[in-house]
Amino acid sequence: MNISIHKIYSHTGEFVCEAKSNETVLNSLLNANIFPNFSCGSGRCGQCKMTINKGKVEYNLTTL
């Protein structure tokens, strides 16, 4: 499995952190010591809901 690196930007276009393709956006932010609002950590509650402006999201349905 090839792991690629993706860049995460804020809504203002400011670079926030990098994310590995095998981790969630939430975990990438937490690993970069950025603490967005979240509750369940699995995507069920929607507290950490974000908007994607470019690219795509792949869901790991085994953890939902």
Side-chain angles (χ1 to χ4, degrees):
M1 176 167 110
N2 291 334
I3 297 174
S4 54
I5 303 294
H6 306 278
K7 295 182 187 289
I8 298 175
Y9 295 89
S10 72
H11 67 283
T12 61
E14 180 182 353
F15 174 75
V16 175
C17 70
E18 292 184 338
K20 295 177 185 171
S21 58
N22 66 343
E23 66 184 354
T24 65
V25 172
L26 177 59
N27 283 337
S28 299
L29 293 170
L30 295 174
N31 289 336
N33 293 317
I34 300 167
F35 303 99
N37 291 331
F38 73 97
S39 182
C40 71
S42 68
R44 291 178 189 235
C45 72
Q47 180 73 30
C48 63
K49 183 178 177 179
M50 298 176 199
T51 301
I52 186 167
N53 294 323
K54 183 178 177 184
K56 65 179 183 173
V57 174
E58 294 181 19
Y59 293 96
N60 181 351
L61 298 178
T62 60
T63 60
L64 294 178

Short mmCIF file of all heavy atoms in Angstrom, two decimals:
data_model
loop_
_atom_site.label_atom_id
_atom_site.label_comp_id
_atom_site.label_asym_id
_atom_site.label_seq_id
_atom_site.Cartn_x
_atom_site.Cartn_y
_atom_site.Cartn_z
N MET A 1 0.85 -1.18 0.00
CA MET A 1 0.00 0.00 0.00
C MET A 1 0.89 1.24 0.00
O MET A 1 1.73 1.43 0.86
CB MET A 1 -0.90 -0.02 1.25
CG MET A 1 -1.74 1.21 1.39
SD MET A 1 -3.01 0.97 2.63
CE MET A 1 -2.43 2.04 3.90
N ASN A 2 0.68 2.09 -0.97
CA ASN A 2 1.41 3.34 -1.06
C ASN A 2 0.69 4.40 -0.23
O ASN A 2 -0.50 4.60 -0.39
CB ASN A 2 1.53 3.83 -2.49
CG ASN A 2 2.45 2.93 -3.30
OD1 ASN A 2 3.33 2.29 -2.76
ND2 ASN A 2 2.23 2.88 -4.59
N ILE A 3 1.42 5.06 0.62
CA ILE A 3 0.85 6.13 1.44
C ILE A 3 1.27 7.46 0.82
O ILE A 3 2.46 7.73 0.66
CB ILE A 3 1.33 6.04 2.89
CG1 ILE A 3 0.84 4.74 3.51
CG2 ILE A 3 0.83 7.24 3.70
CD1 ILE A 3 1.37 4.46 4.90
N SER A 4 0.28 8.26 0.46
CA SER A 4 0.58 9.57 -0.10
C SER A 4 0.30 10.65 0.93
O SER A 4 -0.39 10.41 1.92
CB SER A 4 -0.23 9.81 -1.38
OG SER A 4 -1.59 9.62 -1.15
N ILE A 5 0.84 11.82 0.70
CA ILE A 5 0.69 12.95 1.60
C ILE A 5 -0.19 14.00 0.94
O ILE A 5 -0.01 14.32 -0.23
CB ILE A 5 2.06 13.56 1.96
CG1 ILE A 5 2.98 12.52 2.59
CG2 ILE A 5 1.90 14.77 2.87
CD1 ILE A 5 2.54 11.98 3.93
N HIS A 6 -1.14 14.52 1.67
CA HIS A 6 -2.05 15.55 1.18
C HIS A 6 -1.95 16.77 2.08
O HIS A 6 -1.68 16.65 3.27
CB HIS A 6 -3.49 15.04 1.17
CG HIS A 6 -3.63 13.76 0.41
ND1 HIS A 6 -3.75 13.72 -0.96
CD2 HIS A 6 -3.64 12.47 0.82
CE1 HIS A 6 -3.84 12.47 -1.35
NE2 HIS A 6 -3.77 11.70 -0.29
N LYS A 7 -2.16 17.93 1.53
CA LYS A 7 -2.10 19.17 2.30
C LYS A 7 -3.50 19.60 2.69
O LYS A 7 -4.43 19.50 1.90
CB LYS A 7 -1.42 20.26 1.49
CG LYS A 7 0.04 19.96 1.19
CD LYS A 7 0.70 21.08 0.45
CE LYS A 7 2.09 20.73 0.01
NZ LYS A 7 3.07 20.63 1.02
N ILE A 8 -3.65 20.07 3.92
CA ILE A 8 -4.92 20.57 4.43
C ILE A 8 -4.78 22.08 4.60
O ILE A 8 -3.82 22.56 5.19
CB ILE A 8 -5.28 19.92 5.78
CG1 ILE A 8 -5.44 18.41 5.60
CG2 ILE A 8 -6.54 20.54 6.36
CD1 ILE A 8 -5.67 17.67 6.90
N TYR A 9 -5.75 22.82 4.06
CA TYR A 9 -5.77 24.27 4.13
C TYR A 9 -7.03 24.73 4.86
O TYR A 9 -8.06 24.06 4.82
CB TYR A 9 -5.76 24.89 2.73
CG TYR A 9 -4.49 24.62 1.97
CD1 TYR A 9 -4.34 23.48 1.19
CD2 TYR A 9 -3.43 25.50 2.03
CE1 TYR A 9 -3.18 23.23 0.49
CE2 TYR A 9 -2.25 25.26 1.34
CZ TYR A 9 -2.13 24.12 0.57
OH TYR A 9 -0.97 23.87 -0.11
N SER A 10 -6.96 25.87 5.50
CA SER A 10 -8.13 26.45 6.17
C SER A 10 -9.05 27.06 5.13
O SER A 10 -8.71 27.17 3.95
CB SER A 10 -7.69 27.53 7.17
OG SER A 10 -7.23 28.66 6.47
N HIS A 11 -10.21 27.51 5.56
CA HIS A 11 -11.17 28.14 4.66
C HIS A 11 -10.63 29.45 4.07
O HIS A 11 -11.12 29.92 3.05
CB HIS A 11 -12.50 28.39 5.37
CG HIS A 11 -12.42 29.40 6.47
ND1 HIS A 11 -11.88 29.09 7.70
CD2 HIS A 11 -12.79 30.68 6.52
CE1 HIS A 11 -11.92 30.17 8.45
NE2 HIS A 11 -12.47 31.15 7.76
N THR A 12 -9.59 30.00 4.67
CA THR A 12 -8.98 31.23 4.15
C THR A 12 -7.84 30.94 3.18
O THR A 12 -7.24 31.86 2.64
CB THR A 12 -8.44 32.11 5.30
OG1 THR A 12 -7.43 31.37 6.00
CG2 THR A 12 -9.55 32.52 6.25
N GLY A 13 -7.53 29.66 2.98
CA GLY A 13 -6.46 29.28 2.08
C GLY A 13 -5.11 29.13 2.74
O GLY A 13 -4.12 28.84 2.08
N GLU A 14 -5.07 29.29 4.05
CA GLU A 14 -3.81 29.17 4.80
C GLU A 14 -3.48 27.68 5.01
O GLU A 14 -4.34 26.89 5.37
CB GLU A 14 -3.96 29.86 6.15
CG GLU A 14 -2.74 29.79 7.02
CD GLU A 14 -2.95 30.46 8.38
OE1 GLU A 14 -3.99 31.09 8.58
OE2 GLU A 14 -2.06 30.34 9.21
N PHE A 15 -2.22 27.30 4.77
CA PHE A 15 -1.78 25.91 4.99
C PHE A 15 -1.93 25.58 6.47
O PHE A 15 -1.53 26.35 7.33
CB PHE A 15 -0.33 25.73 4.54
CG PHE A 15 0.21 24.38 4.87
CD1 PHE A 15 -0.17 23.28 4.13
CD2 PHE A 15 1.08 24.21 5.92
CE1 PHE A 15 0.32 22.01 4.44
CE2 PHE A 15 1.59 22.96 6.24
CZ PHE A 15 1.20 21.85 5.49
N VAL A 16 -2.51 24.42 6.75
CA VAL A 16 -2.74 24.00 8.13
C VAL A 16 -1.80 22.87 8.52
O VAL A 16 -1.07 22.95 9.49
CB VAL A 16 -4.21 23.58 8.35
CG1 VAL A 16 -4.44 23.04 9.74
CG2 VAL A 16 -5.15 24.74 8.06
N CYS A 17 -1.83 21.78 7.76
CA CYS A 17 -0.97 20.64 8.06
C CYS A 17 -1.02 19.65 6.90
O CYS A 17 -1.74 19.86 5.94
CB CYS A 17 -1.39 19.95 9.36
SG CYS A 17 -2.96 19.07 9.30
N GLU A 18 -0.24 18.59 7.02
CA GLU A 18 -0.26 17.52 6.04
C GLU A 18 -1.02 16.33 6.60
O GLU A 18 -1.05 16.12 7.81
CB GLU A 18 1.15 17.10 5.66
CG GLU A 18 1.89 18.17 4.90
CD GLU A 18 3.26 17.73 4.44
OE1 GLU A 18 3.82 16.78 5.03
OE2 GLU A 18 3.77 18.34 3.49
N ALA A 19 -1.62 15.56 5.70
CA ALA A 19 -2.36 14.36 6.11
C ALA A 19 -1.87 13.18 5.28
O ALA A 19 -1.68 13.30 4.07
CB ALA A 19 -3.85 14.57 5.88
N LYS A 20 -1.65 12.08 5.93
CA LYS A 20 -1.30 10.85 5.23
C LYS A 20 -2.59 10.23 4.70
O LYS A 20 -3.65 10.36 5.32
CB LYS A 20 -0.60 9.88 6.17
CG LYS A 20 0.73 10.38 6.67
CD LYS A 20 1.33 9.41 7.65
CE LYS A 20 2.61 9.98 8.23
NZ LYS A 20 3.10 9.16 9.34
N SER A 21 -2.50 9.55 3.58
CA SER A 21 -3.69 8.96 2.97
C SER A 21 -4.29 7.85 3.81
O SER A 21 -5.44 7.47 3.60
CB SER A 21 -3.37 8.44 1.57
OG SER A 21 -2.34 7.48 1.62
N ASN A 22 -3.57 7.34 4.79
CA ASN A 22 -4.10 6.26 5.63
C ASN A 22 -4.60 6.77 6.98
O ASN A 22 -4.82 5.98 7.89
CB ASN A 22 -3.05 5.18 5.83
CG ASN A 22 -1.85 5.65 6.63
OD1 ASN A 22 -1.62 6.85 6.78
ND2 ASN A 22 -1.08 4.71 7.14
N GLU A 23 -4.80 8.07 7.13
CA GLU A 23 -5.34 8.61 8.38
C GLU A 23 -6.47 9.59 8.08
O GLU A 23 -6.58 10.12 6.97
CB GLU A 23 -4.26 9.27 9.23
CG GLU A 23 -3.65 10.51 8.63
CD GLU A 23 -2.51 11.08 9.47
OE1 GLU A 23 -2.24 10.59 10.59
OE2 GLU A 23 -1.88 12.03 9.01
N THR A 24 -7.29 9.83 9.06
CA THR A 24 -8.41 10.75 8.87
C THR A 24 -7.94 12.20 8.95
O THR A 24 -6.86 12.48 9.49
CB THR A 24 -9.50 10.53 9.95
OG1 THR A 24 -8.95 10.88 11.23
CG2 THR A 24 -9.99 9.08 9.96
N VAL A 25 -8.74 13.10 8.42
CA VAL A 25 -8.44 14.52 8.52
C VAL A 25 -8.38 14.91 9.99
O VAL A 25 -7.47 15.62 10.43
CB VAL A 25 -9.47 15.37 7.76
CG1 VAL A 25 -9.27 16.86 8.04
CG2 VAL A 25 -9.39 15.10 6.27
N LEU A 26 -9.33 14.42 10.78
CA LEU A 26 -9.34 14.73 12.21
C LEU A 26 -8.05 14.28 12.88
O LEU A 26 -7.43 15.05 13.61
CB LEU A 26 -10.55 14.10 12.89
CG LEU A 26 -10.64 14.30 14.41
CD1 LEU A 26 -10.69 15.78 14.76
CD2 LEU A 26 -11.85 13.56 14.97
N ASN A 27 -7.62 13.06 12.63
CA ASN A 27 -6.37 12.57 13.24
C ASN A 27 -5.16 13.36 12.76
O ASN A 27 -4.24 13.61 13.53
CB ASN A 27 -6.19 11.08 12.97
CG ASN A 27 -7.07 10.23 13.86
OD1 ASN A 27 -7.49 10.66 14.92
ND2 ASN A 27 -7.36 9.03 13.41
N SER A 28 -5.17 13.78 11.50
CA SER A 28 -4.07 14.60 10.98
C SER A 28 -4.00 15.92 11.73
O SER A 28 -2.91 16.37 12.10
CB SER A 28 -4.27 14.87 9.50
OG SER A 28 -4.28 13.67 8.77
N LEU A 29 -5.15 16.54 11.94
CA LEU A 29 -5.18 17.81 12.68
C LEU A 29 -4.72 17.62 14.12
O LEU A 29 -3.91 18.39 14.63
CB LEU A 29 -6.59 18.40 12.64
CG LEU A 29 -7.08 18.87 11.27
CD1 LEU A 29 -8.56 19.21 11.33
CD2 LEU A 29 -6.27 20.05 10.77
N LEU A 30 -5.22 16.59 14.78
CA LEU A 30 -4.83 16.33 16.17
C LEU A 30 -3.34 16.05 16.28
O LEU A 30 -2.68 16.53 17.22
CB LEU A 30 -5.64 15.16 16.74
CG LEU A 30 -7.14 15.40 16.88
CD1 LEU A 30 -7.85 14.12 17.32
CD2 LEU A 30 -7.44 16.54 17.84
N ASN A 31 -2.78 15.29 15.33
CA ASN A 31 -1.34 15.01 15.33
C ASN A 31 -0.50 16.27 15.13
O ASN A 31 0.66 16.32 15.54
CB ASN A 31 -0.99 13.97 14.26
CG ASN A 31 -1.49 12.59 14.61
OD1 ASN A 31 -1.69 12.26 15.78
ND2 ASN A 31 -1.72 11.77 13.59
N ALA A 32 -1.10 17.29 14.50
CA ALA A 32 -0.41 18.57 14.29
C ALA A 32 -0.71 19.55 15.43
O ALA A 32 -0.44 20.74 15.31
CB ALA A 32 -0.83 19.17 12.95
N ASN A 33 -1.27 19.05 16.53
CA ASN A 33 -1.64 19.87 17.69
C ASN A 33 -2.65 20.95 17.35
O ASN A 33 -2.59 22.07 17.87
CB ASN A 33 -0.40 20.47 18.36
CG ASN A 33 0.46 19.41 18.99
OD1 ASN A 33 -0.04 18.50 19.65
ND2 ASN A 33 1.76 19.50 18.80
N ILE A 34 -3.58 20.61 16.46
CA ILE A 34 -4.70 21.48 16.10
C ILE A 34 -5.95 20.76 16.60
O ILE A 34 -6.16 19.58 16.29
CB ILE A 34 -4.76 21.71 14.58
CG1 ILE A 34 -3.45 22.37 14.13
CG2 ILE A 34 -5.97 22.54 14.21
CD1 ILE A 34 -3.25 22.36 12.64
N PHE A 35 -6.76 21.44 17.38
CA PHE A 35 -7.87 20.79 18.05
C PHE A 35 -9.22 21.38 17.63
O PHE A 35 -9.75 22.26 18.29
CB PHE A 35 -7.68 20.89 19.57
CG PHE A 35 -6.37 20.29 20.00
CD1 PHE A 35 -5.27 21.09 20.24
CD2 PHE A 35 -6.23 18.92 20.11
CE1 PHE A 35 -4.05 20.54 20.61
CE2 PHE A 35 -5.02 18.35 20.48
CZ PHE A 35 -3.92 19.16 20.74
N PRO A 36 -9.77 20.87 16.51
CA PRO A 36 -11.09 21.34 16.07
C PRO A 36 -12.17 20.79 16.99
O PRO A 36 -11.91 19.87 17.79
CB PRO A 36 -11.23 20.76 14.67
CG PRO A 36 -10.42 19.49 14.73
CD PRO A 36 -9.25 19.82 15.64
N ASN A 37 -13.35 21.33 16.90
CA ASN A 37 -14.47 20.77 17.67
C ASN A 37 -14.78 19.38 17.15
O ASN A 37 -14.94 19.17 15.96
CB ASN A 37 -15.71 21.65 17.52
CG ASN A 37 -15.56 22.98 18.18
OD1 ASN A 37 -14.84 23.11 19.17
ND2 ASN A 37 -16.22 23.99 17.66
N PHE A 38 -14.82 18.42 18.06
CA PHE A 38 -15.25 17.06 17.69
C PHE A 38 -15.76 16.38 18.95
O PHE A 38 -15.47 16.80 20.07
CB PHE A 38 -14.12 16.26 17.03
CG PHE A 38 -13.03 15.82 17.96
CD1 PHE A 38 -13.03 14.54 18.48
CD2 PHE A 38 -11.99 16.66 18.32
CE1 PHE A 38 -12.02 14.11 19.33
CE2 PHE A 38 -10.98 16.25 19.16
CZ PHE A 38 -11.00 14.97 19.67
N SER A 39 -16.53 15.33 18.75
CA SER A 39 -17.08 14.63 19.89
C SER A 39 -16.77 13.14 19.82
O SER A 39 -16.00 12.63 20.60
CB SER A 39 -18.60 14.86 19.97
OG SER A 39 -19.13 14.23 21.10
N CYS A 40 -17.36 12.45 18.85
CA CYS A 40 -17.24 10.99 18.82
C CYS A 40 -15.93 10.50 18.22
O CYS A 40 -15.47 9.41 18.54
CB CYS A 40 -18.42 10.39 18.06
SG CYS A 40 -18.38 10.68 16.28
N GLY A 41 -15.32 11.28 17.31
CA GLY A 41 -14.07 10.89 16.68
C GLY A 41 -14.22 9.89 15.55
O GLY A 41 -13.23 9.50 14.94
N SER A 42 -15.44 9.49 15.23
CA SER A 42 -15.64 8.52 14.15
C SER A 42 -16.46 9.06 12.99
O SER A 42 -16.68 8.37 12.01
CB SER A 42 -16.32 7.26 14.69
OG SER A 42 -17.65 7.54 15.08
N GLY A 43 -16.94 10.29 13.10
CA GLY A 43 -17.72 10.88 12.02
C GLY A 43 -19.22 10.69 12.15
O GLY A 43 -19.98 11.15 11.31
N ARG A 44 -19.66 10.01 13.17
CA ARG A 44 -21.09 9.75 13.34
C ARG A 44 -21.88 10.97 13.79
O ARG A 44 -22.98 11.21 13.33
CB ARG A 44 -21.32 8.63 14.36
CG ARG A 44 -20.88 7.30 13.88
CD ARG A 44 -21.10 6.26 14.98
NE ARG A 44 -20.47 5.01 14.59
CZ ARG A 44 -21.11 3.87 14.54
NH1 ARG A 44 -22.38 3.81 14.86
NH2 ARG A 44 -20.49 2.78 14.19
N CYS A 45 -21.34 11.75 14.70
CA CYS A 45 -22.10 12.85 15.30
C CYS A 45 -22.13 14.11 14.43
O CYS A 45 -23.02 14.93 14.56
CB CYS A 45 -21.58 13.19 16.69
SG CYS A 45 -19.98 14.02 16.70
N GLY A 46 -21.15 14.27 13.54
CA GLY A 46 -21.11 15.43 12.65
C GLY A 46 -20.51 16.68 13.25
O GLY A 46 -20.43 17.72 12.60
N GLN A 47 -20.03 16.62 14.48
CA GLN A 47 -19.44 17.78 15.15
C GLN A 47 -18.22 18.31 14.39
O GLN A 47 -18.01 19.50 14.32
CB GLN A 47 -19.06 17.41 16.59
CG GLN A 47 -18.44 18.53 17.38
CD GLN A 47 -19.44 19.59 17.78
OE1 GLN A 47 -20.62 19.31 17.96
NE2 GLN A 47 -18.99 20.80 17.91
N CYS A 48 -17.45 17.43 13.79
CA CYS A 48 -16.21 17.84 13.10
C CYS A 48 -16.42 18.03 11.60
O CYS A 48 -15.46 18.08 10.84
CB CYS A 48 -15.10 16.82 13.35
SG CYS A 48 -15.44 15.17 12.70
N LYS A 49 -17.66 18.15 11.17
CA LYS A 49 -17.99 18.28 9.75
C LYS A 49 -17.20 19.42 9.11
O LYS A 49 -17.11 20.52 9.67
CB LYS A 49 -19.48 18.53 9.60
CG LYS A 49 -19.94 18.62 8.17
CD LYS A 49 -21.44 18.82 8.13
CE LYS A 49 -21.93 18.97 6.72
NZ LYS A 49 -23.39 19.14 6.68
N MET A 50 -16.63 19.15 7.95
CA MET A 50 -15.84 20.14 7.21
C MET A 50 -16.30 20.16 5.77
O MET A 50 -16.96 19.24 5.31
CB MET A 50 -14.36 19.77 7.27
CG MET A 50 -13.78 19.75 8.66
SD MET A 50 -12.09 19.20 8.60
CE MET A 50 -11.86 18.74 10.31
N THR A 51 -15.91 21.18 5.04
CA THR A 51 -16.22 21.29 3.62
C THR A 51 -14.97 21.01 2.82
O THR A 51 -13.90 21.57 3.12
CB THR A 51 -16.73 22.71 3.30
OG1 THR A 51 -17.88 22.97 4.10
CG2 THR A 51 -17.09 22.84 1.83
N ILE A 52 -15.08 20.17 1.82
CA ILE A 52 -13.95 19.91 0.94
C ILE A 52 -14.10 20.76 -0.31
O ILE A 52 -15.17 20.79 -0.92
CB ILE A 52 -13.83 18.41 0.60
CG1 ILE A 52 -12.57 18.15 -0.19
CG2 ILE A 52 -15.05 17.91 -0.13
CD1 ILE A 52 -12.22 16.68 -0.29
N ASN A 53 -13.07 21.51 -0.64
CA ASN A 53 -13.11 22.39 -1.80
C ASN A 53 -12.41 21.80 -3.01
O ASN A 53 -12.67 22.19 -4.14
CB ASN A 53 -12.46 23.74 -1.47
CG ASN A 53 -13.27 24.50 -0.45
OD1 ASN A 53 -14.49 24.47 -0.46
ND2 ASN A 53 -12.59 25.18 0.45
N LYS A 54 -11.50 20.88 -2.79
CA LYS A 54 -10.75 20.28 -3.88
C LYS A 54 -10.36 18.87 -3.47
O LYS A 54 -10.00 18.64 -2.32
CB LYS A 54 -9.49 21.12 -4.16
CG LYS A 54 -8.67 20.64 -5.31
CD LYS A 54 -7.48 21.58 -5.53
CE LYS A 54 -6.61 21.07 -6.65
NZ LYS A 54 -5.42 21.91 -6.82
N GLY A 55 -10.43 17.94 -4.40
CA GLY A 55 -10.08 16.56 -4.11
C GLY A 55 -11.32 15.74 -3.82
O GLY A 55 -12.42 16.10 -4.22
N LYS A 56 -11.13 14.63 -3.13
CA LYS A 56 -12.26 13.76 -2.82
C LYS A 56 -12.04 13.10 -1.47
O LYS A 56 -10.92 13.06 -0.95
CB LYS A 56 -12.46 12.72 -3.89
CG LYS A 56 -11.32 11.72 -4.01
CD LYS A 56 -11.59 10.68 -5.07
CE LYS A 56 -10.44 9.68 -5.10
NZ LYS A 56 -10.71 8.56 -5.98
N VAL A 57 -13.09 12.58 -0.93
CA VAL A 57 -13.06 11.90 0.36
C VAL A 57 -13.38 10.44 0.13
O VAL A 57 -14.29 10.11 -0.62
CB VAL A 57 -14.07 12.51 1.35
CG1 VAL A 57 -14.12 11.71 2.64
CG2 VAL A 57 -13.75 13.96 1.62
N GLU A 58 -12.62 9.57 0.76
CA GLU A 58 -12.92 8.14 0.73
C GLU A 58 -13.29 7.73 2.14
O GLU A 58 -12.58 8.05 3.09
CB GLU A 58 -11.72 7.34 0.23
CG GLU A 58 -11.39 7.63 -1.22
CD GLU A 58 -10.21 6.82 -1.71
OE1 GLU A 58 -9.87 5.79 -1.09
OE2 GLU A 58 -9.63 7.22 -2.72
N TYR A 59 -14.40 7.05 2.28
CA TYR A 59 -14.88 6.64 3.59
C TYR A 59 -14.47 5.21 3.89
O TYR A 59 -14.57 4.34 3.05
CB TYR A 59 -16.40 6.74 3.66
CG TYR A 59 -16.89 8.16 3.58
CD1 TYR A 59 -17.30 8.70 2.38
CD2 TYR A 59 -16.92 8.96 4.71
CE1 TYR A 59 -17.75 10.02 2.30
CE2 TYR A 59 -17.36 10.26 4.65
CZ TYR A 59 -17.76 10.78 3.44
OH TYR A 59 -18.19 12.07 3.38
N ASN A 60 -14.03 4.99 5.10
CA ASN A 60 -13.75 3.65 5.58
C ASN A 60 -15.00 3.18 6.31
O ASN A 60 -15.20 3.48 7.48
CB ASN A 60 -12.54 3.66 6.52
CG ASN A 60 -12.19 2.28 7.02
OD1 ASN A 60 -12.93 1.33 6.81
ND2 ASN A 60 -11.06 2.17 7.69
N LEU A 61 -15.85 2.46 5.63
CA LEU A 61 -17.15 2.07 6.18
C LEU A 61 -17.05 1.06 7.31
O LEU A 61 -18.00 0.87 8.04
CB LEU A 61 -18.06 1.54 5.06
CG LEU A 61 -18.37 2.57 3.97
CD1 LEU A 61 -19.23 1.93 2.89
CD2 LEU A 61 -19.09 3.78 4.55
N THR A 62 -15.90 0.45 7.49
CA THR A 62 -15.76 -0.52 8.58
C THR A 62 -15.68 0.16 9.94
O THR A 62 -15.92 -0.47 10.95
CB THR A 62 -14.51 -1.42 8.38
OG1 THR A 62 -13.35 -0.58 8.35
CG2 THR A 62 -14.63 -2.21 7.10
N THR A 63 -15.35 1.47 9.98
CA THR A 63 -15.24 2.16 11.26
C THR A 63 -16.47 2.99 11.58
O THR A 63 -16.58 3.57 12.64
CB THR A 63 -14.01 3.09 11.30
OG1 THR A 63 -14.13 4.06 10.27
CG2 THR A 63 -12.73 2.28 11.13
N LEU A 64 -17.42 3.12 10.64
CA LEU A 64 -18.62 3.92 10.89
C LEU A 64 -19.69 3.15 11.56
O LEU A 64 -19.80 2.02 11.62
CB LEU A 64 -19.14 4.51 9.57
CG LEU A 64 -18.21 5.53 8.93
CD1 LEU A 64 -18.81 6.01 7.60
CD2 LEU A 64 -18.00 6.73 9.81
#
